Amino acid sequence: MGNNGLSCRKATFEDIPALRELFRETVTTVNRRDYTEEETADWASCMDGRARWEELIDGMYVVVATDATGGIMGFAAINGEGYLHSMFVHKDCQRQGVATLLLGVMEEYARSKGIGVITSEVSITARPFFERKGYVVEKEQRVRANRLYMTNFKMRKQLGITKDVLETCRLIMRSWKDTDAETLYEYAKDPDVGPMAGWPPHESVEHSREIIRTVFAAPETYAVTLKDTGEPIGCAGIMVGKGLHERPFGTDEAEIGYWIGRCHWGNGYAPEAVDMLLRRCFTQLGMSAVWCAYYDGNHQSRRVMDKCGFSYHHTETDKPSPLGDIRTEHFMRITKTEWENGKTVK
């Protein structure tokens, strides 16, 4: 969806060397703020052996977050009972929205399995983040890492509705479901849809189902469905935080991404969905400005932005896309004041 370089996929055995290094470096640097050198060294040694990683990947749902080049920025693992076993973000990728994305994926996976509560054993370092995400401390405890005992917190969260359901004149925008995979594949396999936005065509129904469980599980990512039939026809979402593009991006600014299946082009569904997301950004999420971006030649996307009141901001050249090629990218922006002065889609 859109041009967002941050995405998730399921972990594989080929990822183990990178995951092992990420885990060790994060524990011995980021967690060193709250634990002694001896404690972090003992903790990091817990996952030195390859067999431990193979057991984790085989036995749990393990997801990695990657950047536009495929580099691993973080990972998370959850079991079938809703126990969040681990979540770590690379020491150089802190405060870029990686943890929020990973946690959203874990929570969406739990919901897809009918799990109503997530539990975890959370470090001193991570406790504030989890509390901001609605987790509560059940108890402080001393647990054994490898040889040493360390302090952490048993935390839990009661899962509610994944995200709000948004409604327009003709559309319902809701969470993606596993049962949407076949329909998603029919649209997303089209080479005229994904590549122009920087993502590859889907290869199978299973590929689409994995995207639903990872990328589309992110907060504020919606299936765009027809109100009359309930059929998903595309995807639209709001991204908040740093790491989306290398440009100034305020904490009260967001980015919108979207796509619609080709057989539904020309019906005005994309502007209708984007206008609803703008309304949500400015009236519910407290945003002061919203960005959109499109690659050179994607005239359909530019027309949607024009209809929704976006204004041209700047162009960046020689940018690697998530597909690995070099492109020119154009950025559009609308402020809350501009939106309030012309709320109707043109």
Side-chain angles (χ1 to χ4, degrees), residues 135-176:
Y135 288 74
V136 296
V137 174
E138 290 190 323
K139 67 175 181 178
E140 180 178 331
Q141 58 187 13
R142 296 280 293 175
V143 296
R144 185 173 178 176
N146 191 2
R147 296 178 298 101
L148 304 179
Y149 284 83
M150 302 167 53
T151 298
N152 69 15
F153 302 90
K154 186 175 182 181
M155 302 187 74
R156 72 193 303 271
K157 180 179 180 179
Q158 183 77 38
L159 297 180
I161 298 173
T162 305
K163 51 179 72 80
D164 290 346
V165 174
L166 310 180
E167 183 174 349
T168 71
C169 292
R170 299 179 296 167
L171 305 172
I172 297 290
M173 299 168 66
R174 58 158 174 81
S175 300
W176 283 92

Side-chain angles (χ1 to χ4, degrees), residues 250-314:
T251 57
D252 61 346
E253 297 181 355
E255 180 175 2
I256 286 177
Y258 53 87
W259 63 265
I260 298 293
R262 182 167 55 163
C263 65
H264 295 284
W265 291 357
N267 294 310
Y269 293 133
E272 192 170 328
V274 171
D275 192 53
M276 171 53 69
L277 294 184
L278 285 173
R279 182 178 301 277
R280 179 162 175 78
C281 283
F282 292 133
T283 66
Q284 296 177 308
L285 302 182
M287 297 294 122
S288 67
V290 175
W291 296 78
C292 267
Y294 68 97
Y295 288 124
D296 204 35
N298 191 350
H299 305 298
Q300 300 100 314
S301 190
R302 170 63 187 260
R303 284 196 293 270
V304 170
M305 298 174 200
D306 288 337
K307 289 180 179 180
C308 293
F310 285 82
S311 299
Y312 172 79
H313 190 272
H314 73 281

Side-chain angles (χ1 to χ4, degrees), residues 88-208:
F88 290 88
V89 175
H90 192 284
K91 65 181 179 65
D92 297 327
C93 301
Q94 301 287 311
R95 296 178 177 85
Q96 294 183 27
V98 181
T100 295
L101 176 61
L102 286 169
L103 188 59
V105 170
M106 296 292 100
E107 292 182 356
E108 187 62 22
Y109 173 81
R111 290 187 181 95
S112 73
K113 297 298 181 182
I115 297 168
V117 177
I118 289 183
T119 60
S120 189
E121 294 175 286
V122 177
S123 69
I124 298 171
T125 314
R127 175 181 170 178
F129 168 82
F130 278 89
E131 288 180 326
R132 289 195 300 270
K133 299 300 180 181
Y135 288 74
V136 296
V137 174
E138 290 190 323
K139 67 175 181 178
E140 180 178 331
Q141 58 187 13
R142 296 280 293 175
V143 296
R144 185 173 178 176
N146 191 2
R147 296 178 298 101
L148 304 179
Y149 284 83
M150 302 167 53
T151 298
N152 69 15
F153 302 90
K154 186 175 182 181
M155 302 187 74
R156 72 193 303 271
K157 180 179 180 179
Q158 183 77 38
L159 297 180
I161 298 173
T162 305
K163 51 179 72 80
D164 290 346
V165 174
L166 310 180
E167 183 174 349
T168 71
C169 292
R170 299 179 296 167
L171 305 172
I172 297 290
M173 299 168 66
R174 58 158 174 81
S175 300
W176 283 92
K177 306 173 184 176
D178 275 9
T179 52
D180 295 325
E182 289 188 11
T183 303
L184 172 60
Y185 173 61
E186 288 303 310
Y187 294 130
K189 69 180 181 182
D190 189 337
D192 289 333
V193 175
M196 71 172 64
W199 50 270
H202 290 194
E203 300 172 355
S204 65
V205 173
E206 280 305 312
H207 181 198
S208 292

Side-chain angles (χ1 to χ4, degrees), residues 18-67:
L19 294 177
R20 183 164 48 199
E21 182 180 3
L22 184 155
F23 173 75
R24 171 168 284 280
E25 290 188 352
T26 301
V27 169
T28 56
T29 56
V30 178
N31 294 105
R32 179 67 180 82
R33 297 194 300 263
D34 302 295
Y35 296 90
T36 68
E37 183 175 354
E38 186 180 15
E39 286 175 328
T40 54
D42 184 71
W43 183 3
S45 70
C46 290
M47 297 296 287
D48 279 346
R50 181 180 176 88
R52 296 290 300 274
W53 288 101
E54 291 180 349
E55 181 182 355
L56 184 73
I57 293 171
D58 266 341
M60 296 193 184
Y61 185 68
V62 185
V63 166
V64 297
T66 62
D67 61 19

